Amino acid sequence: MTIRLPGPGGSLRDYTPRAEPASFTTGAPLVSRTVFSAAHVVADPLADAGPDVAAVDWDATLAFRRHLWAHGLGVAEAMDTAQRGMGLDWAGAAELIRRSTAEAKSAGGAIACGVGTDQLSGPATLAEVRAAYEEQLALVEGTGAQAILMASRALAAAASGPEDYLDVYGHLLRQASEPVILHWLGPMFDPALEGYWGSPDLDAATETFLDVIAAHPDKVDGIKVSLLDARREVELRRRLPRGVRCYTGDDYNYPELIAGDEQGFSHALLGIFDPLGPLAAEAVRVLDTGDTAKFRELLDPTVELSRHLFETPTRFYKTGVVLLAWLAGHQSHFAMVGGLQSARPLPHLARAYELADGLGLFPDPALAETRMKSLLSVYGVDQ
């Protein structure tokens, strides 16, 4: 059996799907690395809501998190993978945090939740940015979850220089009851974050970032770096105070960064570990035994899929992530809050299917093929 897939220039080609999935086992939490999957939300396609209303299918959303926990991964909740700031508003994110944290306690799963300023609309003062962060930090800590201080569009717009970042983050870290994860999200993920930490020069921004950490090392569990620059992450990782972890957010170079070198390694907080969850967990379990070569053998082949999903414009990677969740049977439809399922063209989606199938990511390849054919037919591609 073959499936006709669209390619560049409107051409069609035959692809033969694999007959059997790869085999992955569930298991205990991972040992040698702390690994979080930034998880997507499942939309409610039957909700009578417009594109500005984030209608979430809570049962399917929480079921997907149980799937990740079952494989030993932690869940990074209400991050950009969950369409934070791209369809999911603060009210929806707050509800997601409450529900997921309660589910984590029931399942015995690790969870950390995003703290931002997305309840603000329009221009804001630094005092308003700080108050918005405080509100969200209080909610996350009140659930018992670890906090991830996300980069703020409002702060990027309001700050006049590095000193404003030092002041806002210093205030928040002093308030935090437990060590947090600091998140540096690059402009390739969100153009509104250009010049974060007070400078468009990444070297200068790095110094400010390190100054924030150095002033409060006891309040920083780690940093999540999403700059898609492996060299820069390694250099930054080596300059962190003792005890402060680096969580890679580099969806282009994660195998080498997690494997590390003689001077250290990165933990992981990755959007690509949403579709790769079982495979990624299996690879890290191999790494737990000290077999770096086998770890790379398992994880390196996934980079082509990840680079495809995160290709420019990178912020629309979520569309491919949700497509693969649908094809894998984790949800019953390919719909997203805000209608973001339309953000990628059909040839991109077809290639994502082909790469994921080649990796054996679909528990039922026949189901994935049937669903992909149904999507193609909507676009007028006959089989």
Side-chain angles (χ1 to χ4, degrees), residues 188-189 252 305-323 334 336 339-350 352 375 379:
M188 67 290 294
F189 288 92
Y252 281 10
L305 170 63
S306 188
R307 289 185 175 231
H308 176 72
L309 294 182
F310 285 78
E311 70 183 10
T312 304
T314 302
R315 64 188 180 278
F316 294 130
Y317 75 88
K318 308 163 190 69
T319 301
V321 165
V322 174
L323 170 79
F334 177 41
M336 299 174 68
L340 204 62
Q341 69 272 7
S342 65
R344 291 293 201 188
L346 186 63
H348 175 94
L349 302 179
L375 178 66
Y379 283 81

Side-chain angles (χ1 to χ4, degrees), residues 46 91 107 126 188 214 234 262 277:
L46 303 182
L126 288 172
M188 67 290 294
V234 170
E262 65 283 353

Side-chain angles (χ1 to χ4, degrees), residues 119-201:
Q119 67 270 55
L120 298 173
S121 59
T125 64
L126 288 172
E128 290 169 334
V129 169
R130 191 172 71 180
Y133 264 131
E134 289 173 337
E135 177 190 357
Q136 296 199 16
L137 179 61
L139 184 143
V140 169
E141 291 195 329
T143 67
Q146 183 177 23
I148 304 170
L149 293 187
M150 302 172 68
S152 163
R153 293 174 180 173
L155 179 55
S160 58
E163 64 283 350
D164 289 333
Y165 289 89
L166 292 167
D167 178 67
V168 170
Y169 277 91
H171 179 85
L172 294 170
L173 290 172
R174 285 190 295 273
Q175 280 198 337
S177 59
E178 298 291 339
V180 307
I181 298 173
L182 296 180
H183 186 191
W184 185 356
L185 191 68
M188 67 290 294
F189 288 92
D190 187 342
L193 299 176
E194 181 70 43
Y196 212 73
W197 304 111
S199 176
D201 181 291

Side-chain angles (χ1 to χ4, degrees), residues 61-376:
T61 293
L62 295 176
F64 186 75
R65 281 137 182 81
R66 291 194 296 272
H67 153 74
L68 294 171
W69 287 319
H71 284 275
L73 299 168
V75 169
E77 190 55 277
M79 304 295 290
D80 50 298
T81 307
Q83 294 182 243
R84 190 82 180 265
M86 292 185 68
L88 187 70
D89 59 12
W90 167 234
E95 184 66 13
L96 179 63
I97 289 166
R98 293 187 191 97
R99 289 175 180 255
S100 290
T101 303
E103 197 72 20
K105 292 176 182 176
S106 174
I111 190 167
C113 300
V115 169
T117 63
D118 46 329
Q119 67 270 55
L120 298 173
S121 59
T125 64
L126 288 172
E128 290 169 334
V129 169
R130 191 172 71 180
Y133 264 131
E134 289 173 337
E135 177 190 357
Q136 296 199 16
L137 179 61
L139 184 143
V140 169
E141 291 195 329
T143 67
Q146 183 177 23
I148 304 170
L149 293 187
M150 302 172 68
S152 163
R153 293 174 180 173
L155 179 55
S160 58
E163 64 283 350
D164 289 333
Y165 289 89
L166 292 167
D167 178 67
V168 170
Y169 277 91
H171 179 85
L172 294 170
L173 290 172
R174 285 190 295 273
Q175 280 198 337
S177 59
E178 298 291 339
V180 307
I181 298 173
L182 296 180
H183 186 191
W184 185 356
L185 191 68
M188 67 290 294
F189 288 92
D190 187 342
L193 299 176
E194 181 70 43
Y196 212 73
W197 304 111
S199 176
D201 181 291
L202 290 179
D203 290 334
T206 296
E207 296 306 317
T208 302
F209 188 44
L210 287 168
D211 286 345
V212 169
I213 299 165
H216 308 277
D218 58 322
K219 289 297 186 73
V220 180
D221 164 69
I223 62 169
K224 170 179 160 35
V225 186
S226 300
L227 298 175
L228 304 183
D229 184 333
R231 177 195 59 81
R232 185 173 293 279
E233 178 174 322
V234 170
E235 291 175 354
L236 177 57
R237 184 175 76 198
R238 291 174 179 171
R239 296 180 63 190
L240 292 174
R242 183 179 297 275
V244 176
R245 310 181 198 194
C246 180
Y247 294 89
T248 187
D250 188 332
D251 300 279
Y252 281 10
N253 304 292
Y254 51 92
E256 64 186 85
L257 292 164
I258 296 170
D261 55 30
E262 65 283 353
Q263 297 185 54
F265 57 82
S266 294
H267 299 271
L269 200 166
L270 288 160
I272 191 57
F273 280 5
D274 178 304
L276 291 184
L279 192 160
E282 187 122 320
V284 176
R285 283 196 184 89
V286 169
L287 190 59
D288 288 346
T289 70
D291 192 343
T292 303
K294 180 64 174 178
F295 165 79
R296 294 294 298 269
E297 182 182 327
L298 286 169
L299 210 54
D300 281 358
T302 69
V303 172
E304 184 178 6
L305 170 63
S306 188
R307 289 185 175 231
H308 176 72
L309 294 182
F310 285 78
E311 70 183 10
T312 304
T314 302
R315 64 188 180 278
F316 294 130
Y317 75 88
K318 308 163 190 69
T319 301
V321 165
V322 174
L323 170 79
L324 298 184
W326 172 54
L327 296 177
H330 293 299
Q331 55 193 80
S332 61
H333 57 83
F334 177 41
M336 299 174 68
V337 296
L340 204 62
Q341 69 272 7
S342 65
R344 291 293 201 188
L346 186 63
H348 175 94
L349 302 179
R351 181 61 176 159
Y353 159 73
E354 181 179 1
L355 290 170
D357 179 73
L359 292 168
L361 295 183
F362 302 131
D364 184 344
L367 173 66
E369 178 185 352
T370 298
R371 287 186 168 184
M372 191 67 209
K373 283 180 175 178
S374 71
L375 178 66
L376 291 166

